[in-house]
Amino acid sequence: MVIKKLHEAGLRSDHAYTAAVVSIGLSFLSWMASVKGEAAGTDRADRWGIFVGEWAPTFFGLGLALAQYEDD
């Protein structure tokens, strides 16, 4: 039901896969920016990188579900 609604809204599997790859890049960039821009140290930078990096599996999962829906 959710996948059908997302597909009807115009979201395609390619969009979700692209978002996953971009989130991996953003994870690295947020880690780098936190290490260089904050005095909190690498602990906080690691948390930022992990937080953003956890989006990628969700986007990959949505991409797989949308791809399956598109094949039907």
Side-chain angles (χ1 to χ4, degrees):
M1 177 131 143
V2 173
I3 298 302
K4 181 180 178 185
K5 292 286 186 191
L6 288 172
H7 190 267
E8 289 171 356
L11 187 66
R12 300 295 181 259
S13 59
D14 291 342
H15 300 139
Y17 293 141
T18 301
V21 172
V22 168
S23 74
I24 293 169
L26 284 175
S27 175
F28 177 73
L29 289 176
S30 67
W31 179 82
M32 269 302 241
S34 184
V35 164
K36 294 187 185 265
E38 294 182 329
T42 57
D43 288 344
R44 182 182 256 173
D46 288 347
R47 287 186 203 109
W48 272 113
I50 290 169
F51 172 70
V52 177
E54 287 180 349
W55 301 347
T58 303
F59 288 131
F60 278 123
L62 279 174
L64 287 170
L66 284 165
Q68 228 175 17
Y69 184 81
E70 293 164 1
D71 286 343
D72 290 341

Coordinates of all heavy atoms in Angstrom, one line a residue:
M1 N 0.8 -1.2 0.0 CA 0.0 0.0 0.0 C 0.9 1.3 0.0 O 0.6 2.2 -0.8 CB -0.9 0.0 1.2 CG -1.7 1.2 1.4 SD -3.4 0.8 1.6 CE -3.9 2.0 2.7
V2 N 1.9 1.3 0.8 CA 2.8 2.5 0.9 C 3.5 2.6 -0.4 O 3.7 3.7 -1.0 CB 3.7 2.4 2.1 CG1 4.7 3.5 2.1 CG2 2.9 2.5 3.4
I3 N 4.0 1.5 -0.9 CA 4.8 1.5 -2.1 C 3.9 1.9 -3.3 O 4.4 2.7 -4.1 CB 5.4 0.1 -2.4 CG1 6.4 -0.3 -1.2 CG2 6.1 0.0 -3.7 CD1 7.5 0.7 -1.0
K4 N 2.7 1.5 -3.3 CA 1.8 1.9 -4.4 C 1.6 3.4 -4.4 O 1.6 4.1 -5.4 CB 0.5 1.2 -4.2 CG -0.5 1.5 -5.3 CD -1.9 0.8 -5.1 CE -2.9 1.2 -6.1 NZ -4.2 0.6 -5.9
K5 N 1.4 3.9 -3.2 CA 1.2 5.4 -3.0 C 2.5 6.2 -3.4 O 2.4 7.2 -4.1 CB 0.9 5.8 -1.6 CG -0.5 5.3 -1.1 CD -1.6 6.1 -1.7 CE -2.9 5.6 -1.2 NZ -4.0 6.2 -1.9
L6 N 3.6 5.7 -3.1 CA 4.9 6.3 -3.5 C 5.0 6.3 -5.0 O 5.4 7.3 -5.6 CB 6.1 5.7 -2.8 CG 6.2 5.9 -1.3 CD1 7.4 5.0 -0.8 CD2 6.5 7.4 -1.0
H7 N 4.7 5.1 -5.6 CA 4.8 5.0 -7.1 C 3.8 5.9 -7.7 O 4.1 6.6 -8.7 CB 4.5 3.6 -7.5 CG 4.8 3.3 -8.9 ND1 3.9 3.4 -9.9 CD2 6.0 2.9 -9.5 CE1 4.5 3.1 -11.0 NE2 5.7 2.8 -10.8
E8 N 2.6 6.0 -7.2 CA 1.6 6.9 -7.8 C 2.0 8.4 -7.6 O 1.6 9.2 -8.5 CB 0.2 6.7 -7.1 CG -0.4 5.4 -7.5 CD -1.7 5.1 -6.7 OE1 -2.0 5.8 -5.8 OE2 -2.3 4.1 -7.0
A9 N 2.8 8.7 -6.6 CA 3.3 10.1 -6.4 C 4.4 10.4 -7.3 O 4.9 11.6 -7.4 CB 3.7 10.3 -5.0
G10 N 4.9 9.4 -8.1 CA 6.0 9.7 -9.0 C 7.4 9.2 -8.6 O 8.4 9.4 -9.3
L11 N 7.5 8.6 -7.4 CA 8.8 8.1 -7.0 C 9.1 6.8 -7.7 O 8.2 5.9 -7.7 CB 8.8 7.9 -5.5 CG 10.1 7.5 -4.8 CD1 11.1 8.6 -5.0 CD2 9.9 7.2 -3.4
R12 N 10.2 6.6 -8.3 CA 10.6 5.4 -9.0 C 11.9 4.8 -8.3 O 12.5 5.4 -7.4 CB 11.0 5.7 -10.4 CG 9.8 6.3 -11.2 CD 8.7 5.3 -11.4 NE 7.6 5.8 -12.2 CZ 6.5 6.3 -11.6 NH1 6.3 6.3 -10.3 NH2 5.5 6.7 -12.4
S13 N 12.1 3.6 -8.6 CA 13.2 2.9 -7.9 C 14.6 3.6 -8.2 O 15.4 3.6 -7.3 CB 13.3 1.4 -8.4 OG 13.5 1.4 -9.8
D14 N 14.7 4.2 -9.4 CA 16.0 4.9 -9.7 C 16.2 6.1 -8.7 O 17.3 6.4 -8.3 CB 16.0 5.4 -11.1 CG 16.1 4.3 -12.1 OD1 16.5 3.2 -11.7 OD2 15.8 4.5 -13.3
H15 N 15.1 6.7 -8.4 CA 15.2 7.9 -7.4 C 15.6 7.4 -6.1 O 16.5 8.0 -5.4 CB 13.8 8.5 -7.3 CG 13.3 9.1 -8.6 ND1 11.9 9.0 -8.9 CD2 13.9 9.7 -9.6 CE1 11.7 9.5 -10.1 NE2 12.9 10.0 -10.5
A16 N 15.1 6.3 -5.6 CA 15.5 5.8 -4.3 C 16.9 5.3 -4.3 O 17.6 5.5 -3.3 CB 14.6 4.6 -3.9
Y17 N 17.4 4.6 -5.4 CA 18.8 4.2 -5.4 C 19.7 5.4 -5.5 O 20.8 5.4 -4.8 CB 19.0 3.4 -6.7 CG 18.3 2.0 -6.7 CD1 17.8 1.5 -7.8 CD2 18.2 1.3 -5.5 CE1 17.1 0.3 -7.8 CE2 17.6 0.0 -5.5 CZ 17.0 -0.5 -6.7 OH 16.4 -1.7 -6.6
T18 N 19.3 6.5 -6.2 CA 20.1 7.7 -6.2 C 20.2 8.3 -4.8 O 21.3 8.7 -4.4 CB 19.5 8.7 -7.2 OG1 19.5 8.0 -8.5 CG2 20.4 9.9 -7.3
A19 N 19.1 8.4 -4.1 CA 19.1 8.9 -2.8 C 20.0 8.1 -1.9 O 20.7 8.7 -1.0 CB 17.7 9.0 -2.2
A20 N 20.0 6.8 -2.0 CA 20.9 5.9 -1.2 C 22.4 6.3 -1.4 O 23.2 6.4 -0.5 CB 20.6 4.5 -1.5
V21 N 22.7 6.4 -2.7 CA 24.2 6.7 -3.0 C 24.5 8.1 -2.5 O 25.6 8.3 -2.0 CB 24.4 6.5 -4.5 CG1 25.8 7.0 -4.9 CG2 24.2 5.1 -5.0
V22 N 23.6 9.0 -2.7 CA 23.9 10.4 -2.2 C 24.0 10.4 -0.7 O 24.9 11.1 -0.2 CB 22.8 11.3 -2.7 CG1 22.8 12.7 -2.0 CG2 22.9 11.5 -4.2
S23 N 23.2 9.6 0.0 CA 23.3 9.6 1.5 C 24.6 9.0 1.9 O 25.1 9.4 3.0 CB 22.1 8.9 2.1 OG 22.2 7.5 1.9
I24 N 25.2 8.1 1.2 CA 26.5 7.6 1.5 C 27.6 8.7 1.4 O 28.4 8.9 2.3 CB 26.9 6.4 0.7 CG1 26.0 5.2 1.0 CG2 28.4 6.0 0.8 CD1 26.1 4.0 0.0
G25 N 27.5 9.5 0.3 CA 28.4 10.6 0.2 C 28.2 11.7 1.2 O 29.1 12.2 1.8
L26 N 26.9 11.9 1.6 CA 26.6 12.9 2.6 C 27.1 12.5 4.0 O 27.5 13.3 4.8 CB 25.1 13.2 2.7 CG 24.5 14.1 1.6 CD1 23.0 14.2 1.7 CD2 25.1 15.5 1.6
S27 N 27.1 11.2 4.2 CA 27.6 10.6 5.4 C 29.1 11.0 5.6 O 29.5 11.4 6.7 CB 27.4 9.1 5.5 OG 28.0 8.5 6.6
F28 N 29.8 10.7 4.6 CA 31.2 11.1 4.6 C 31.5 12.6 4.8 O 32.3 13.0 5.6 CB 31.9 10.5 3.3 CG 33.4 10.9 3.3 CD1 34.3 10.3 4.1 CD2 33.9 11.9 2.4 CE1 35.6 10.6 4.1 CE2 35.2 12.2 2.4 CZ 36.1 11.6 3.2
L29 N 30.7 13.4 4.0 CA 30.9 14.8 4.1 C 30.5 15.4 5.4 O 31.1 16.3 6.0 CB 30.0 15.5 3.0 CG 30.6 15.3 1.6 CD1 29.6 15.9 0.6 CD2 31.9 15.9 1.4
S30 N 29.4 14.8 6.0 CA 29.0 15.3 7.4 C 30.1 14.9 8.4 O 30.3 15.7 9.3 CB 27.6 14.8 7.8 OG 27.6 13.4 7.9
W31 N 30.7 13.8 8.3 CA 31.7 13.4 9.2 C 32.9 14.3 9.0 O 33.4 14.8 10.0 CB 32.2 11.9 8.9 CG 33.2 11.5 9.8 CD1 33.1 11.0 11.0 CD2 34.6 11.5 9.5 NE1 34.4 10.7 11.6 CE2 35.3 11.0 10.6 CE3 35.4 11.9 8.4 CZ2 36.7 10.8 10.6 CZ3 36.8 11.7 8.4 CH2 37.4 11.2 9.6
M32 N 33.3 14.6 7.8 CA 34.4 15.5 7.5 C 34.2 16.9 8.1 O 35.1 17.5 8.7 CB 34.7 15.6 6.0 CG 35.7 14.6 5.4 SD 37.3 14.6 6.1 CE 38.2 15.1 4.7
A33 N 33.0 17.4 7.8 CA 32.7 18.8 8.3 C 32.7 18.8 9.8 O 33.1 19.8 10.4 CB 31.3 19.2 7.7
S34 N 32.2 17.8 10.5 CA 32.1 17.8 11.9 C 33.5 17.6 12.5 O 33.8 18.3 13.5 CB 31.3 16.6 12.4 OG 31.2 16.6 13.8
V35 N 34.4 16.8 11.9 CA 35.8 16.7 12.4 C 36.5 18.0 12.3 O 37.2 18.4 13.2 CB 36.5 15.6 11.6 CG1 38.0 15.7 11.8 CG2 36.0 14.2 12.1
K36 N 36.3 18.7 11.2 CA 37.1 19.9 11.0 C 36.4 21.2 11.6 O 37.1 22.1 11.9 CB 37.3 20.1 9.5 CG 38.2 19.1 8.8 CD 38.5 19.4 7.4 CE 39.3 18.3 6.8 NZ 40.7 18.5 6.8
G37 N 35.1 21.2 11.7 CA 34.4 22.4 12.1 C 34.0 22.5 13.5 O 33.6 23.5 14.0
E38 N 34.0 21.4 14.3 CA 33.6 21.4 15.7 C 34.8 21.0 16.6 O 35.6 20.2 16.2 CB 32.4 20.4 15.9 CG 31.2 20.8 15.1 CD 30.0 19.8 15.4 OE1 30.3 18.6 15.6 OE2 28.9 20.3 15.4
A39 N 34.7 21.5 17.8 CA 35.8 21.2 18.7 C 35.4 19.9 19.6 O 36.1 19.5 20.4 CB 36.0 22.4 19.7
A40 N 34.3 19.3 19.2 CA 33.8 18.2 20.0 C 34.6 16.9 19.8 O 34.4 15.9 20.5 CB 32.3 17.9 19.7
G41 N 35.4 16.9 18.7 CA 36.2 15.7 18.5 C 35.6 14.7 17.6 O 34.5 14.9 17.0
T42 N 36.2 13.5 17.4 CA 35.8 12.5 16.5 C 34.6 11.8 17.0 O 33.9 11.2 16.2 CB 36.9 11.5 16.2 OG1 37.4 10.9 17.4 CG2 38.0 12.2 15.4
D43 N 34.3 11.8 18.3 CA 33.1 11.1 18.8 C 31.8 11.7 18.1 O 31.0 10.9 17.6 CB 33.0 11.1 20.3 CG 34.0 10.2 21.0 OD1 34.6 9.4 20.3 OD2 34.2 10.4 22.2
R44 N 31.7 13.0 18.2 CA 30.5 13.6 17.6 C 30.5 13.5 16.1 O 29.5 13.2 15.5 CB 30.5 15.1 18.0 CG 29.2 15.8 17.4 CD 29.2 17.2 17.7 NE 28.3 17.4 18.8 CZ 28.1 18.6 19.4 NH1 28.8 19.6 19.1 NH2 27.2 18.7 20.3
A45 N 31.7 13.5 15.5 CA 31.8 13.4 14.0 C 31.3 12.0 13.6 O 30.6 11.8 12.6 CB 33.2 13.6 13.5
D46 N 31.7 11.0 14.4 CA 31.3 9.6 14.1 C 29.8 9.5 14.2 O 29.1 8.8 13.4 CB 32.0 8.6 15.1 CG 33.4 8.4 14.8 OD1 33.9 8.9 13.7 OD2 34.1 7.9 15.7
R47 N 29.2 10.1 15.2 CA 27.7 10.1 15.4 C 27.0 10.7 14.2 O 26.0 10.1 13.7 CB 27.3 10.7 16.7 CG 27.7 9.9 17.9 CD 27.1 10.6 19.2 NE 27.9 10.1 20.3 CZ 28.7 10.9 21.0 NH1 28.9 12.1 20.7 NH2 29.4 10.4 22.0
W48 N 27.5 11.8 13.7 CA 26.9 12.4 12.5 C 27.0 11.5 11.3 O 26.1 11.3 10.5 CB 27.6 13.8 12.2 CG 27.0 14.9 12.9 CD1 27.6 15.7 13.9 CD2 25.7 15.5 12.7 NE1 26.7 16.6 14.3 CE2 25.5 16.5 13.6 CE3 24.6 15.1 11.9 CZ2 24.4 17.3 13.7 CZ3 23.4 15.9 12.0 CH2 23.3 16.9 12.9
G49 N 28.2 11.0 11.1 CA 28.4 10.1 10.0 C 27.5 8.9 10.0 O 26.9 8.4 9.0
I50 N 27.4 8.3 11.2 CA 26.5 7.1 11.3 C 25.1 7.5 11.1 O 24.3 6.7 10.5 CB 26.8 6.4 12.7 CG1 28.2 5.8 12.7 CG2 25.7 5.4 13.0 CD1 28.6 5.3 14.1
F51 N 24.6 8.6 11.7 CA 23.2 9.0 11.6 C 22.8 9.2 10.1 O 21.8 8.6 9.7 CB 23.0 10.4 12.3 CG 21.7 11.0 12.1 CD1 20.6 10.4 12.6 CD2 21.6 12.1 11.3 CE1 19.3 11.0 12.4 CE2 20.3 12.7 11.1 CZ 19.2 12.1 11.7
V52 N 23.6 9.9 9.3 CA 23.3 10.1 7.9 C 23.5 8.8 7.2 O 22.8 8.4 6.2 CB 24.2 11.2 7.3 CG1 23.9 11.4 5.8 CG2 23.9 12.5 8.1
G53 N 24.5 8.0 7.5 CA 24.8 6.7 6.8 C 23.7 5.7 7.0 O 23.6 4.8 6.2
E54 N 22.9 5.8 8.0 CA 21.8 4.9 8.2 C 20.6 5.1 7.3 O 19.7 4.3 7.2 CB 21.3 4.9 9.7 CG 22.3 4.2 10.6 CD 21.9 4.2 12.1 OE1 20.9 4.9 12.4 OE2 22.5 3.6 12.9
W55 N 20.6 6.2 6.6 CA 19.6 6.4 5.6 C 19.7 5.5 4.4 O 18.7 5.2 3.8 CB 19.6 7.9 5.1 CG 19.4 8.9 6.2 CD1 19.0 8.7 7.5 CD2 19.7 10.3 6.1 NE1 19.0 9.9 8.2 CE2 19.4 10.9 7.3 CE3 20.1 11.1 5.1 CZ2 19.5 12.3 7.6 CZ3 20.2 12.5 5.3 CH2 19.9 13.0 6.5
A56 N 20.9 5.2 4.0 CA 21.2 4.5 2.8 C 20.5 3.1 2.7 O 19.8 2.8 1.7 CB 22.7 4.3 2.6
P57 N 20.5 2.3 3.8 CA 19.8 1.0 3.7 C 18.3 1.2 3.5 O 17.6 0.4 2.8 CB 20.1 0.3 5.0 CG 21.3 1.0 5.5 CD 21.3 2.4 5.0
T58 N 17.7 2.2 4.1 CA 16.3 2.5 4.0 C 16.0 2.9 2.5 O 15.0 2.3 1.9 CB 15.9 3.7 4.9 OG1 16.2 3.3 6.2 CG2 14.4 4.0 4.7
F59 N 16.8 3.7 1.9 CA 16.6 4.1 0.5 C 16.8 2.9 -0.4 O 16.0 2.7 -1.4 CB 17.5 5.2 0.1 CG 17.1 6.5 0.7 CD1 18.0 7.3 1.3 CD2 15.8 7.0 0.6 CE1 17.7 8.6 1.9 CE2 15.4 8.2 1.2 CZ 16.3 9.0 1.8
F60 N 17.8 2.1 -0.1 CA 18.0 0.8 -1.0 C 16.8 -0.1 -0.8 O 16.3 -0.7 -1.8 CB 19.3 0.1 -0.6 CG 20.5 0.7 -1.2 CD1 21.6 1.1 -0.4 CD2 20.6 0.8 -2.6 CE1 22.7 1.6 -1.0 CE2 21.8 1.3 -3.2 CZ 22.8 1.7 -2.4
G61 N 16.2 -0.2 0.4 CA 15.1 -1.1 0.6 C 13.9 -0.6 -0.2 O 13.1 -1.3 -0.8
L62 N 13.7 0.8 -0.1 CA 12.6 1.4 -0.9 C 12.8 1.2 -2.4 O 11.8 0.9 -3.1 CB 12.5 2.9 -0.6 CG 11.7 3.3 0.6 CD1 11.9 4.8 0.9 CD2 10.3 2.9 0.6
G63 N 14.0 1.3 -2.8 CA 14.3 1.1 -4.3 C 14.0 -0.4 -4.7 O 13.4 -0.6 -5.8
L64 N 14.3 -1.3 -3.9 CA 14.0 -2.7 -4.2 C 12.5 -3.0 -4.2 O 12.0 -3.6 -5.1 CB 14.7 -3.7 -3.2 CG 16.2 -3.8 -3.3 CD1 16.7 -4.6 -2.1 CD2 16.5 -4.5 -4.6
A65 N 11.8 -2.4 -3.3 CA 10.4 -2.6 -3.2 C 9.7 -1.9 -4.4 O 8.8 -2.5 -5.1 CB 9.8 -2.0 -1.9
L66 N 10.2 -0.7 -4.8 CA 9.6 0.0 -5.9 C 10.0 -0.8 -7.2 O 9.1 -0.8 -8.1 CB 10.1 1.4 -6.0 CG 9.5 2.4 -5.0 CD1 10.3 3.6 -4.9 CD2 8.1 2.7 -5.4
A67 N 11.2 -1.3 -7.3 CA 11.5 -2.1 -8.5 C 10.7 -3.3 -8.7 O 10.2 -3.6 -9.8 CB 13.0 -2.5 -8.5
Q68 N 10.4 -4.0 -7.6 CA 9.5 -5.1 -7.6 C 8.1 -4.7 -8.1 O 7.4 -5.4 -8.9 CB 9.4 -5.8 -6.3 CG 9.6 -7.2 -6.3 CD 9.7 -7.8 -4.9 OE1 9.3 -7.2 -3.9 NE2 10.2 -9.0 -4.8
Y69 N 7.6 -3.6 -7.5 CA 6.3 -3.1 -7.9 C 6.2 -2.7 -9.4 O 5.2 -2.9 -10.0 CB 5.9 -1.9 -7.0 CG 4.5 -1.3 -7.3 CD1 3.4 -2.0 -6.7 CD2 4.3 -0.3 -8.1 CE1 2.1 -1.5 -6.9 CE2 3.0 0.2 -8.3 CZ 2.0 -0.4 -7.7 OH 0.7 0.0 -8.0
E70 N 7.3 -2.1 -9.9 CA 7.4 -1.7 -11.3 C 7.4 -2.9 -12.2 O 6.9 -2.8 -13.3 CB 8.6 -0.8 -11.5 CG 8.6 0.5 -10.8 CD 9.9 1.3 -10.7 OE1 10.9 0.7 -11.3 OE2 9.9 2.3 -10.1
D71 N 7.9 -4.0 -11.8 CA 8.0 -5.2 -12.6 C 6.6 -5.9 -12.7 O 6.3 -6.6 -13.7 CB 9.0 -6.2 -12.1 CG 10.4 -5.7 -12.4 OD1 10.6 -4.9 -13.2 OD2 11.3 -6.3 -11.7
D72 N 5.7 -5.6 -11.7 CA 4.4 -6.3 -11.7 C 3.5 -5.7 -12.8 O 3.5 -4.9 -13.4 CB 3.7 -6.2 -10.4 CG 4.5 -7.1 -9.4 OD1 5.2 -8.0 -9.8 OD2 4.3 -6.8 -8.2

